[in-house]
Amino acid sequence: MAHKEIVLTGDRPTGPLHLGHFVGSLANRLELQEKYKQYVMIADVQALTDNFEHPEIIRKNVLQVGIDYLAVGLDPEKTTFFIQSMIPQIAELTIFYLNLVTVSRLERNPTVKAEIQDRRFGRSIPAGFLMYPVSQAADITVVKGTLVPVGKDQLPMIEQTNEIVRSFNRMYKCNVLPEAKALISKVSRLPGTDGSAKMSKSAGNSIALGDSPDAIKKKVMSMYTDPQHGRVEDPGKVEGNVVFTYLDIFDPDKKEVAALKEQYRKGGLGDVQLKKRLIEVLDAFLSPIRTKRQELEKDPNYVMNVLLEGTKKTLHVAEQTMYDVRKAMLLDYK
Ligand code: TRP
């Protein structure tokens, strides 16, 4: 590859990460760390934009998300982890970028729009929440990120970032900030166990990476299948059937999955039998992660140390970016 990418992504530490995170971005990050310089940010400041009354939740989950990263195989030798609130340059950039964005543009951002509706903010939306996409542009540009592996719902964020990048470079007649490309995972999005489009902890339809075998069993057994598929001998629907969606993604035996689909469509394959297979498949996938998680849980100082070491490295890069930005904006007082 001619151009060396700088990869930057992040997650809000509002809870431990789940299978949706794995499919949506962790899987891509595992590949990208082999090829590029990669930063992975724990977005505690962004998490506070809708959890500001509960800092203890965020504090607790910074460590949990750090544990998740290491448990899935992100390697601190290859990936630089950092904690967002410890990089003051992100806040600085955010203030500068806010001049380049209008309130109406932020209100039109589809992700933010959906969130405003979900949270029933109306006109009482906290200003910090409305402008979090600007802060996200700062997250990406503070390390001059060019590639952002994220779930599909984050596309408007990348678009917003690039608008800011172009407008900054044009306004200050420079080429300081690079544009970023989104890298969307092959699997577009993992539905929740209840069949709704998105897996999320707050919706109670998620399977956490550290879930116990018992928890997985319970969640799979109550999974959404085909409501018309009452008796074993009835023909059943495969499309929109969450158990099959998960098997398609996690079952390494594609032939067997194809055979099961055929049998299910014809009738004669019961939900319980099908779900038992998924429980086995998910256990095989999650058990090494769970074991690694348990080891890391016993050594929280090691995990924090990894996060703090990465933060130190990132600070250094952030300072260089600020040097360029300040110069372009004629703020390089001497
Ligand atoms: N908004 C992202 C999410 O909720 C997290 C995030 C914050 C992020 N800053 C980022 C992702 C920068 C990619 C790049 O999942």
Side-chain angles (χ1 to χ4, degrees):
M1 199 153 299
H3 185 69
K4 268 278 173 208
E5 307 282 1
I6 305 276
V7 182
L8 178 289
T9 48
D11 298 288
R12 298 183 188 199
T14 50
L17 301 184
H18 53 60
L19 282 177
H21 291 109
F22 190 91
V23 166
S25 51
L26 291 170
N28 271 335
R29 296 179 198 173
L30 286 170
E31 285 182 30
L32 290 167
Q33 75 174 353
E34 303 301 330
K35 289 200 265 181
Y36 302 119
K37 173 127 204 63
Q38 171 164 262
Y39 295 90
V40 174
M41 177 188 76
I42 302 189
D44 57 346
V45 177
Q46 190 178 105
L48 282 167
T49 60
D50 63 339
N51 288 279
F52 51 83
E53 338 78 312
H54 297 295
E56 69 289 348
I57 295 179
I58 309 308
R59 177 61 187 257
K60 179 177 84 194
N61 284 302
V62 167
L63 179 66
Q64 289 304 312
V65 169
I67 290 174
D68 283 324
Y69 288 157
L70 298 176
V72 298
L74 288 172
D75 177 353
E77 299 287 322
K78 299 170 181 166
T79 294
T80 303
F81 304 101
F82 67 95
I83 300 175
Q84 187 184 26
S85 64
M86 295 184 77
I87 310 291
Q89 290 86 351
I90 293 175
E92 241 179 302
L93 283 179
T94 303
I95 290 286
F96 296 154
Y97 295 168
L98 279 169
N99 294 329
L100 309 174
V101 186
T102 65
V103 171
S104 74
R105 174 64 183 93
L106 289 170
E107 285 171 340
R108 265 186 287 117
N109 180 311
T111 311
V112 176
K113 212 169 156 177
E115 286 170 322
I116 293 173
Q117 268 160 14
D118 284 354
R119 291 169 176 72
R120 301 176 197 285
F121 280 140
R123 289 301 294 161
S124 309
I125 180 169
F129 189 89
L130 183 64
M131 58 117 248
Y132 91 74
V134 181
S135 161
Q136 192 155 327
D139 300 335
I140 296 169
T141 52
V142 80
V143 298
K144 299 194 177 177
T146 60
L147 194 59
V148 186
V150 284
K152 222 180 188 161
D153 61 316
Q154 293 290 307
L155 274 177
M157 297 296 169
I158 313 297
E159 224 173 279
Q160 181 82 74
T161 298
N162 286 333
E163 283 176 31
I164 291 171
V165 163
R166 286 192 288 266
S167 136
F168 183 95
N169 290 341
R170 193 182 338 106
M171 195 74 67
Y172 302 114
K173 300 181 185 58
C174 66
N175 206 6
V176 167
L177 305 177
E179 287 194 38
K181 295 172 289 293
L183 185 73
I184 302 299
S185 54
K186 285 160 242 158
V187 180
S188 61
R189 184 189 265 176
L190 189 68
T193 54
D194 58 356
S196 66
K198 195 179 171 185
M199 178 177 280
S200 81
K201 185 171 184 283
S202 55
N205 64 11
S206 67
I207 296 177
L209 296 177
D211 269 355
S212 68
D214 246 17
I216 294 172
K217 197 167 159 190
K218 255 195 219 121
K219 289 175 182 179
V220 173
M221 278 305 174
S222 66
M223 230 175 214
Y224 181 87
T225 56
D226 170 8
Q228 310 298 336
H229 185 242
R231 292 167 306 172
V232 174
E233 56 274 23
D234 289 341
K237 252 180 39 199
V238 166
E239 288 70 31
N241 185 320
V242 180
V243 181
F244 278 111
T245 309
Y246 281 45
L247 284 173
D248 275 336
I249 298 168
F250 294 104
D251 195 328
D253 191 346
K254 301 297 167 210
K255 257 198 200 147
E256 180 62 19
V257 175
L260 289 172
K261 283 182 182 172
E262 201 184 302
Q263 198 189 351
Y264 195 84
R265 281 195 180 106
K266 266 197 250 156
L269 174 59
D271 279 356
V272 172
Q273 200 189 331
L274 186 68
K275 286 176 169 176
K276 279 194 173 144
R277 179 173 184 95
L278 181 58
I279 290 167
E280 275 172 32
V281 164
L282 289 182
D283 258 334
F285 178 78
L286 288 173
S287 98
I289 297 175
R290 186 188 308 121
T291 308
K292 192 82 213 289
R293 261 194 132 275
Q294 285 163 350
E295 279 168 32
L296 292 161
E297 289 262 20
K298 285 189 211 134
D299 201 355
N301 288 338
Y302 165 75
V303 180
M304 273 319 287
N305 216 33
V306 166
L307 302 182
L308 295 177
E309 280 302 311
T311 300
K312 229 191 259 173
K313 282 191 213 162
T314 308
L315 265 175
H316 190 68
V317 175
E319 272 164 17
Q320 289 172 324
T321 301
M322 281 323 289
Y323 177 86
D324 297 340
V325 164
R326 286 177 167 277
K327 201 165 165 189
M329 295 181 72
L330 310 182
L331 296 169
D332 55 338
Y333 304 106
K334 284 191 193 86

